[in-house]
Amino acid sequence: MGCSRGGTTIVQRKLAAALNLYTLPETRFFSNLLGNAEARLFPTTARHRPPVRVFTSALREKLGRSTGREHISLEGITLPRARKWARVQHRTAQFVAQLDRAAVADGHVGWLEKSPSHTHYAPDIHQLVPEAWMVHLIRDPRDTVASIWDAAQRYDDPWGVIYDRIERAVDKWNAATRASAAMRGRPRQIFLSYQQFTKYPQAALDRISRTIGLPLALAPSGQPQIATAVEPWKAAALAAPVQPACSKWHSALTAAERARVDQLLCPRALAFLDSLSPTQQQDHRHVA
């Protein structure tokens, strides 16, 4: 889990192969199951919702009931539709059982689900699936925001629709990073710097292997099917060597937009990033 355009796809690819894990395209299961995504993902730039919807959503969450939008239809896993306000615990148990069966059927020792939006639901996932490990990936905010903004200019839907102004991209990184930071100290949490992972991928995989207690695969599995045909923006992460992506900080943003990003970055989120990769403390604060 992590911010969109934060490198989660390449980590998914390498981690699944290294640990012989079943994996699949993003399900967004928990964000669909629990809902209220706009308020969680964009706390300062959330779009207006009618008060009655805010109230019913809060009541549904309080009662532990689902949105009814968590059904999944992917190769290897199908979670049928259920009525709205079904029990969240029941639907989660069905989801985990589906992934367990798919992993066993495919000859894997476990499974890995990757949806960046799940960062914003980490406490819920920790409670609903307490035996799960969570891997949080944090990328330099300026590189991440620039990549989001570049995608918003290239792809109308969903990028251009969701990120219609630069403030939304910064809000997303701030919120995602704060959400990961809030999980520090809880069991079964792993935090990765994107810059460190792409610089020393094998060392990162070794550390995760030791932490989780799963040995590295002697013969890494083949290329996992982790992207759908409608996700062309993932192409570079599917087969390219592990190396830091080229920053779009100057090519995708104007000078005014860069200044606005620097103005809006959350100090607490920046401090958390600094704690993951101390040698790079000043990288994201360089004034262009």
Side-chain angles (χ1 to χ4, degrees), residues 3-4 9 16 28 63 73 86 110 145 166 178 188 201 245 260 264 269 281 285:
C3 185
S4 301
T9 300
R28 303 178 185 87
L63 296 175
S73 181
V145 169
I166 198 70
R178 288 197 304 265
R188 292 177 175 259
R260 182 63 174 154
L264 294 173
Q281 286 183 3
R285 298 182 186 176

Side-chain angles (χ1 to χ4, degrees), residues 138-272:
I138 317 296
R139 186 184 181 190
D140 180 279
R142 302 197 312 170
D143 293 344
T144 307
V145 169
S147 185
I148 291 174
W149 195 238
D150 178 70
Q153 311 313 304
R154 290 170 178 262
Y155 309 106
D156 292 335
D157 189 14
W159 296 96
V161 174
I162 297 173
Y163 300 99
D164 56 351
R165 51 197 173 103
I166 198 70
E167 287 81 0
R168 295 269 290 178
V170 183
D171 195 14
K172 180 66 168 63
W173 185 89
N174 284 339
T177 306
R178 288 197 304 265
S180 288
M183 297 302 290
R184 180 171 262 182
R186 299 200 187 195
R188 292 177 175 259
Q189 308 297 311
I190 297 173
F191 302 93
L192 291 177
S193 156
Y194 169 83
Q195 279 72 19
Q196 291 296 101
F197 180 87
T198 51
K199 190 173 182 179
Y200 307 109
Q202 193 57 52
L205 294 172
D206 288 342
R207 179 169 69 86
I208 295 172
S209 170
R210 291 192 304 270
T211 302
I212 294 177
L214 282 177
L216 293 174
L218 295 177
S221 55
Q223 187 71 16
Q225 297 299 314
I226 57 179
T228 65
V230 295
E231 297 175 309
W233 50 86
K234 293 184 178 180
L238 297 180
V242 178
Q243 58 185 12
C246 294
S247 176
K248 297 181 174 68
W249 177 245
H250 288 91
S251 61
L253 277 70
T254 65
E257 289 169 339
R258 293 195 296 271
R260 182 63 174 154
V261 171
D262 283 335
Q263 179 185 30
L264 294 173
L265 288 173
C266 171
R268 183 156 61 93
L270 290 172
F272 176 63

Side-chain angles (χ1 to χ4, degrees), residues 2-45:
C3 185
S4 301
R5 306 302 295 170
T8 54
T9 300
I10 197 165
V11 173
Q12 176 190 16
R13 167 193 148 203
K14 296 300 292 184
L15 191 55
L19 297 180
N20 188 26
L21 301 175
Y22 171 81
T23 195
L24 68 169
E26 295 174 18
T27 67
R28 303 178 185 87
F29 173 77
F30 289 101
S31 52
N32 289 334
L33 175 78
L34 299 170
N36 294 323
E38 180 73 9
R40 294 200 192 209
L41 275 64
F42 303 99
T44 64
T45 59

Side-chain angles (χ1 to χ4, degrees), residues 28-91:
R28 303 178 185 87
F29 173 77
F30 289 101
S31 52
N32 289 334
L33 175 78
L34 299 170
N36 294 323
E38 180 73 9
R40 294 200 192 209
L41 275 64
F42 303 99
T44 64
T45 59
R47 290 162 180 158
H48 174 73
R49 298 173 69 205
V52 66
R53 287 189 60 191
V54 174
F55 172 76
T56 55
S57 293
L59 177 62
R60 179 183 49 73
E61 277 201 88
K62 186 72 173 177
L63 296 175
R65 303 294 172 165
S66 78
T67 65
R69 297 186 294 106
E70 68 277 3
H71 57 276
I72 298 168
S73 181
L74 293 168
E75 185 177 351
I77 175 172
T78 301
L79 189 69
R81 293 180 183 271
R83 62 181 176 81
K84 191 175 181 180
W85 293 57
R87 289 178 61 246
V88 162
Q89 293 92 334
H90 178 65
R91 293 296 280 169

Side-chain angles (χ1 to χ4, degrees), residues 20-23 76 99-110 221 224-225:
N20 188 26
L21 301 175
Y22 171 81
T23 195
L99 286 172
D100 285 347
R101 284 193 289 269
V104 171
D106 219 28
H108 295 281
V109 299
S221 55
Q225 297 299 314

